[in-house]
Amino acid sequence: MNSSNKYKRTNYCGELRIEDIGKEVVVCGWVQRRRDLGQLIFIDLRDRTGILQLAFDESTCREVFESAATLRSEFVVCASGKLRERSAKNPQLPTGDVELEVTELNILAKSETPPFEIEENSDVNDALLLKYRYLDLRRPDMQRYIALRHRAVKITRDYFDENGFYEIETPMLTKSTPEGARDYLVPSRVHKGKFYALPQSPQQYKQLLMLSGFDRYMQIVRCFRDEDLRADRQPEFTQIDLEMSFVDIEDVIEVNEGFIKRLFGEVLDVDVKLPIKRMTLREAMDRFGSDKPDLRFGLELCDIGDIVKNCEFKVFSEPVLQGGSVRMIYVPDGASLPRKQIDSLVEFVKTYGARGLAWTKLGEDGSVSSSFSKFLTEEENDAILTRAGAKPGGLILIVADVNEDVVFASLGALRLECAKRLGLIAEGAYEFVWITEFPLFEYSEEDERFVARHHPFTAAMDEDIELLETDKINCRAKAYDLVLNGSELGGGSIRINTPEMQKRMFRALGFTDEEADERFGHLIDAFKYGAPPHGGIAYGLDRIVMHLAGLGTIRDVIAFPKVQNASELLTACPSEVDEAQLDELGLVIAGIFHPPQR
């Protein structure tokens, strides 16, 4: 039967059930597969909600039956008829009790054979999936992820609307103020030689909105950062962006804990216990070696510097004497790891800067094997075992270095690796924690100066304000991150709200008053007209949805993502542009490529 406009869907495929038997139904979708049994043809029809079996009987309507015989995978059809009970039910399908006895069939579009089968949990090469992303997105699991993202966004908007937030859009074309990640620049045709920047975040605009009297702002906003990609990072991403006036840290945390409880409760039926636990950055590093600790398992770090600082084993004693660190983790069932795996852990920590990994393995029979015990006294070895709480079957892993950050990075990653290998991470567990008391500054080797750890508009803790100029390394920020299962969901801070303090902050960062005015004068001037105390937070929406979906990458919850080198395989961008476009913008590309001529 030819395509016509005489169709109107009455139901989605996946919503029909046994109680709908006898209804006249019209469904639309894609052919998943066809089974030809001679006088009977069965079609699995797929739409975004699921699959419904269509039944075609040659004796009922020969024209419709012959049309069904021409159907192939991914044809687009509209079918109408009466819903009936299936004789051979499929308990694997929500619609497995029913089928549609088709009396009318419209073939709306034919399809060539797709480059891969449209099926759940495809093991097809990622590059091929992304080249044909529109086909990849037809797969049922991908449809669920995008639907879940939609639901998360709706819950977000509803929650913040109910709590008095206005959603206000901020500009996509902004001023470049290099201080952090690299900007994406957009040349101006009207103002030749000048550039806009795509926003890394709406930070300055949302602060200006607080100055404008909008007490509570929220935006689901696209942001752009020209930085290297990884599993939870893309060059363009989406933030849930918030700002609040007349608040301090407790007020921001309170409203956001309510949001997290609502979101995870409605989407996953997970009861997030409030208040969410808190931990200072120093405690997080000391215990877990990370500023985003995974609390779903133990294997906490333990400092043994006091035990080994005077030992004869220079690998341990020298780092302590030079101001470094010697720390260990104790893995209760780690002795089950074969020697080959322990050797692989030695190589693993080297990727984080460690020079090696010392270990002691305690057999279930009371035997002890160690890579270092012969270099220590019996008392020193016993002290280490005692501090670890070591028992038969356990494994002690030690990293020593003159740079404490290397020890933290190595052991922080090692505890995760051991937990994965030994199956210590509980499925379906959600462990949230607020990390607080971040440094206001961090030293940049590349810039050879102190830079803002968060951004230059973050306020110092009241008791540390006098350290701005005299002791930057110990000056703490009114900043906070929300971490879930070892992943940062969002971060924010209380902001500076006076021109005097903002200028002082810029001077502490090494800006002259002239440089500060050139880059941020609009904000400093705005503060002269009465800025309320304000603060906020920004969540990575893609990362939140990744956790809600139980995935390990944000790419699967973004409709059209980029790959490792920041290109998009579907449209083959970025791409060259022709010379006429460059001329119009007043640009010359030197030494990179020759644009094609028109």
Side-chain angles (χ1 to χ4, degrees), residues 178-475:
E179 183 72 16
R182 288 181 293 274
D183 288 329
Y184 278 102
L185 300 177
V186 180
S188 170
R189 177 185 60 82
V190 177
H191 305 281
K192 286 185 171 59
K194 295 185 178 181
F195 295 81
Y196 301 102
L198 298 180
Q200 295 187 30
S201 78
Q203 182 60 46
Q204 294 180 58
Y205 287 109
K206 69 180 183 179
Q207 289 190 247
L208 290 169
L209 286 169
M210 297 301 101
L211 284 149
S212 302
F214 298 102
D215 285 24
R216 294 188 166 199
Y217 142 92
M218 187 278 295
Q219 186 181 186
I220 310 289
V221 59
R222 297 294 281 174
C223 300
F224 308 84
R225 290 178 188 169
D226 186 5
E227 56 188 354
D228 296 333
L229 273 63
R230 60 189 184 203
D232 59 354
R233 181 184 286 170
Q234 286 272 312
E236 53 179 319
F237 56 96
T238 305
Q239 279 187 186
I240 304 171
D241 202 48
L242 311 173
E243 199 76 7
M244 305 166 64
S245 290
F246 307 106
V247 295
D248 210 330
I249 292 175
E250 296 301 325
D251 304 295
V252 178
I253 285 180
E254 182 181 7
V255 76
N256 281 280
E257 288 187 345
F259 165 60
I260 292 298
K261 184 175 181 68
R262 169 88 161 264
L263 181 63
F264 279 76
E266 290 197 16
V267 175
L268 297 180
D269 197 26
V270 169
D271 183 17
V272 178
K273 302 297 183 184
L274 302 184
I276 291 171
K277 61 176 67 77
R278 300 188 199 182
M279 191 179 297
T280 65
L281 177 66
R282 185 68 223 185
E283 181 185 353
M285 299 304 294
D286 283 341
R287 293 176 60 191
F288 304 100
S290 173
D291 59 358
K292 40 185 182 292
D294 191 334
L295 306 186
R296 290 175 294 175
F297 58 94
L299 309 189
E300 295 189 19
L301 279 60
C302 181
D303 191 343
I304 58 169
D306 60 314
I307 297 174
V308 299
K309 64 182 178 180
N310 296 317
C311 74
E312 296 297 322
F313 190 38
K314 300 300 183 186
V315 172
F316 286 172
S317 58
E318 285 298 323
V320 180
L321 295 175
Q322 295 181 44
S325 180
V326 183
R327 296 174 189 261
M328 69 176 173
I329 60 172
Y330 172 64
V331 187
D333 296 314
S336 62
L337 292 174
R339 177 61 186 270
K340 186 175 180 180
Q341 283 212 39
I342 294 176
D343 290 342
S344 74
L345 293 176
V346 176
E347 296 305 312
F348 176 83
V349 297
K350 288 181 180 178
T351 65
Y352 292 88
R355 290 178 292 176
L357 179 68
W359 55 270
T360 292
K361 187 175 180 180
L362 294 85
E364 294 287 358
D365 58 359
S367 63
V368 177
S369 57
S370 176
S371 66
F372 67 85
S373 61
K374 64 183 178 182
F375 302 112
L376 303 183
T377 66
E378 184 177 348
E379 291 76 14
E380 289 164 344
N381 279 311
D382 287 346
I384 292 173
L385 294 175
T386 300
R387 185 161 296 180
K391 296 178 181 179
L395 176 67
I396 293 171
L397 300 170
I398 302 174
V399 172
D401 201 276
V402 294
N403 184 343
E404 188 175 54
D405 291 340
V406 169
V407 176
F408 284 144
S410 302
L411 287 178
L414 185 63
R415 66 180 290 270
L416 289 169
E417 183 66 17
C418 290
K420 290 174 184 175
R421 294 191 187 188
L422 293 168
L424 303 180
I425 302 176
E427 292 294 326
Y430 296 89
E431 290 290 342
F432 294 88
V433 60
W434 288 104
I435 305 299
T436 63
E437 296 188 20
F438 286 89
L440 188 61
F441 304 96
E442 61 185 3
Y443 190 78
S444 168
E445 297 290 348
E446 182 180 346
D447 298 323
E448 297 183 334
R449 66 178 177 89
F450 280 97
V451 298
R453 177 164 178 141
H454 192 51
H455 55 58
F457 317 112
T458 300
M461 293 187 71
D462 296 342
E463 59 269 37
D464 289 356
I465 288 175
E466 295 311 312
L467 303 180
L468 275 170
E469 295 84 7
T470 61
D471 190 7
K472 291 184 176 64
I473 201 71
N474 289 311
C475 187

Side-chain angles (χ1 to χ4, degrees), residues 129-138 142-143 145-147 149-150 222 234 236-238 542 545 554-562 568-570:
L129 292 174
L130 290 170
K131 181 179 179 181
Y132 296 94
R133 183 65 165 181
Y134 47 88
L135 297 179
D136 183 31
L137 287 172
R138 290 184 190 177
M142 295 300 296
Q143 296 254 314
Y145 302 151
I146 300 301
R149 183 188 179 106
H150 160 76
R222 297 294 281 174
Q234 286 272 312
E236 53 179 319
F237 56 96
T238 305
D542 314 294
V545 178
I554 63 172
R555 199 168 67 184
D556 286 343
V557 300
I558 298 173
F560 299 102
K562 304 293 190 291
E568 185 194 287
L569 300 184
L570 173 62

Side-chain angles (χ1 to χ4, degrees), residues 155-180:
I155 292 168
T156 299
R157 285 196 162 103
D158 288 347
Y159 174 83
F160 286 109
D161 175 64
E162 292 164 14
N163 282 274
F165 287 76
Y166 288 174
E167 184 163 5
I168 306 174
E169 294 180 346
T170 52
M172 282 290 106
L173 298 175
T174 69
K175 182 177 182 177
S176 179
T177 54
E179 183 72 16

